[in-house]
Amino acid sequence: SLNLLEDEATPQGKAIRWIVCDDSISVQLLENQDPATGNLPKQKHGFRLGGDAGEAQVIRRYILAVFSYSTSKVSPWNDSLNFLSADLHECNWHKNYTRSNFPYGDFDPVGMFCTMDRGDLNSAQAHAEILLNDENHLLYNSVLNFRIDNDLNGPLPPEIGYLIDCNSMQLENNIRLTGPLPQTIGNMIHLVSFSLILNGPKFGGELPSSLFQLKNLKTIHIQSISGKVWSLPTDAQVGDDTQLERLVLVRNNFAGIIPPWLAKLKQLQTLDLSMNNFQGAIPEAIGDLSSIKYL
């Protein structure tokens, strides 16, 4: 809202001030606005979905800035990961960590990174697809990867749901995250994989029904987040074209009923609701899911 933008104490107010005062990339775009049309200069190539309009880049940098300020509410991140680097393209807002047990082999770009084309997130060669800017290629996907203890603290802001080019979001080992997931996550129409592991204990609530309406989403993995009570929405308008294959909600504090609409997830292959506090009977219709391989 306008009040949030005007209040410099809010993440939104801090982000808009950073955009117009400190972010050299956004400032240059804003200062070169076409006086006749009001349009900003175009990006070099931009994103496949978001397009190449300069406005799209400013908005994307604003969203990421809000995310940064909102999740450093109490104290700064352990590693800035190049976030809020005014002279770097936002695809360069990450640092490369080296470790095992990661889809890219030992190569682990933590933060926000971008890929040139669809690629295969399970491929050991996927790091060759990563681009630091759009100078020479159209950007296909963005990824939010925070699979390290980086002390993200505070709530996920609603603005994060408008990163429409993001196809994978992973948050792990950040125990000072708070609040529920924003309903706006249903706007992330390109999202394929969504993972929350070892976060909390003040992080939780009802999963947004909009999450289950994302047509490209194939994996939801929420695990080992205890403390605040989680629940599944009692009603979600799941379409026939849903692609969700894996719903893993293991070792959390999920309560309430197991809703009948889960039986509408016709592509579901893995359903794991173990080690939670669900009440009531398992809906019989779930047994009719012919695609299930693990239950």
Side-chain angles (χ1 to χ4, degrees), residues 135-169:
E135 287 291 324
N136 299 310
H137 297 282
L138 177 71
L139 300 168
Y140 197 93
N141 299 318
S142 66
V143 174
L144 281 179
N145 171 40
F146 287 82
R147 293 186 63 203
I148 63 168
D149 176 6
N150 203 39
D151 195 23
L152 273 63
N153 53 91
L156 296 180
E159 287 80 2
I160 200 69
Y162 296 99
L163 282 176
I164 62 171
D165 293 287
C166 182
N167 85 328
S168 179
M169 184 173 178

Side-chain angles (χ1 to χ4, degrees), residues 61-128:
R61 291 173 75 84
Y62 166 76
I63 291 170
L64 292 168
V66 174
F67 170 74
S68 175
Y69 285 121
S70 184
T71 56
S72 56
K73 184 176 181 180
V74 179
S75 59
W77 295 351
N78 292 337
D79 188 328
S80 71
L81 305 173
N82 290 330
F83 266 65
L84 304 184
S85 293
D87 57 345
L88 290 180
H89 192 282
E90 57 275 16
C91 289
N92 206 347
W93 287 6
H94 65 268
K95 291 187 179 178
N96 296 329
Y97 280 68
T98 303
R99 65 173 188 171
S100 59
N101 189 29
F102 187 73
Y104 293 85
D106 290 341
F107 182 78
D108 191 350
V110 177
M112 155 94 168
F113 65 93
C114 306
T115 58
M116 183 172 64
D117 56 29
R118 187 181 299 275
D120 179 0
L121 288 180
N122 295 313
S123 168
Q125 303 299 319
H127 63 273

Side-chain angles (χ1 to χ4, degrees), residues 53-65:
E55 290 83 353
Q57 184 173 24
V58 173
I59 290 170
R60 188 165 54 247
R61 291 173 75 84
Y62 166 76
I63 291 170
L64 292 168

Side-chain angles (χ1 to χ4, degrees), residues 93-281:
W93 287 6
H94 65 268
K95 291 187 179 178
N96 296 329
Y97 280 68
T98 303
R99 65 173 188 171
S100 59
N101 189 29
F102 187 73
Y104 293 85
D106 290 341
F107 182 78
D108 191 350
V110 177
M112 155 94 168
F113 65 93
C114 306
T115 58
M116 183 172 64
D117 56 29
R118 187 181 299 275
D120 179 0
L121 288 180
N122 295 313
S123 168
Q125 303 299 319
H127 63 273
E129 312 267 346
I130 293 174
L131 298 177
L132 302 182
N133 55 56
D134 66 338
E135 287 291 324
N136 299 310
H137 297 282
L138 177 71
L139 300 168
Y140 197 93
N141 299 318
S142 66
V143 174
L144 281 179
N145 171 40
F146 287 82
R147 293 186 63 203
I148 63 168
D149 176 6
N150 203 39
D151 195 23
L152 273 63
N153 53 91
L156 296 180
E159 287 80 2
I160 200 69
Y162 296 99
L163 282 176
I164 62 171
D165 293 287
C166 182
N167 85 328
S168 179
M169 184 173 178
Q170 304 173 80
L171 301 174
E172 297 184 16
N173 295 295
N174 290 282
I175 62 171
R176 292 206 291 166
L177 283 173
T178 63
L181 295 176
Q183 279 286 347
T184 54
I185 201 166
N187 294 297
M188 301 178 79
I189 57 176
H190 198 37
L191 198 64
V192 174
S193 177
F194 181 72
S195 173
L196 305 172
I197 300 177
L198 291 167
N199 300 303
K202 296 182 179 180
F203 184 50
E206 182 176 286
L207 292 183
S209 59
S210 60
L211 180 64
F212 297 91
Q213 296 166 10
L214 292 171
K215 296 179 181 179
N216 293 304
L217 188 61
K218 292 189 175 182
T219 297
I220 298 174
H221 188 169
I222 301 176
Q223 181 172 340
S224 299
I225 305 177
S226 59
K228 193 168 182 178
V229 174
W230 291 81
S231 63
L232 287 165
T234 55
D235 185 30
Q237 301 301 316
V238 178
D240 293 334
D241 52 355
T242 178
Q243 299 298 311
L244 192 64
E245 296 175 353
R246 299 182 71 248
L247 178 58
V248 178
L249 309 176
V250 179
R251 201 180 294 115
N252 301 295
N253 195 17
F254 273 89
I257 66 167
I258 298 174
W261 58 261
L262 289 179
K264 297 180 180 179
L265 300 172
K266 300 300 184 182
Q267 303 301 317
L268 202 61
Q269 299 177 19
T270 298
L271 176 62
D272 192 341
L273 308 178
S274 60
M275 290 178 276
N276 285 291
N277 297 309
F278 286 110
Q279 292 93 39

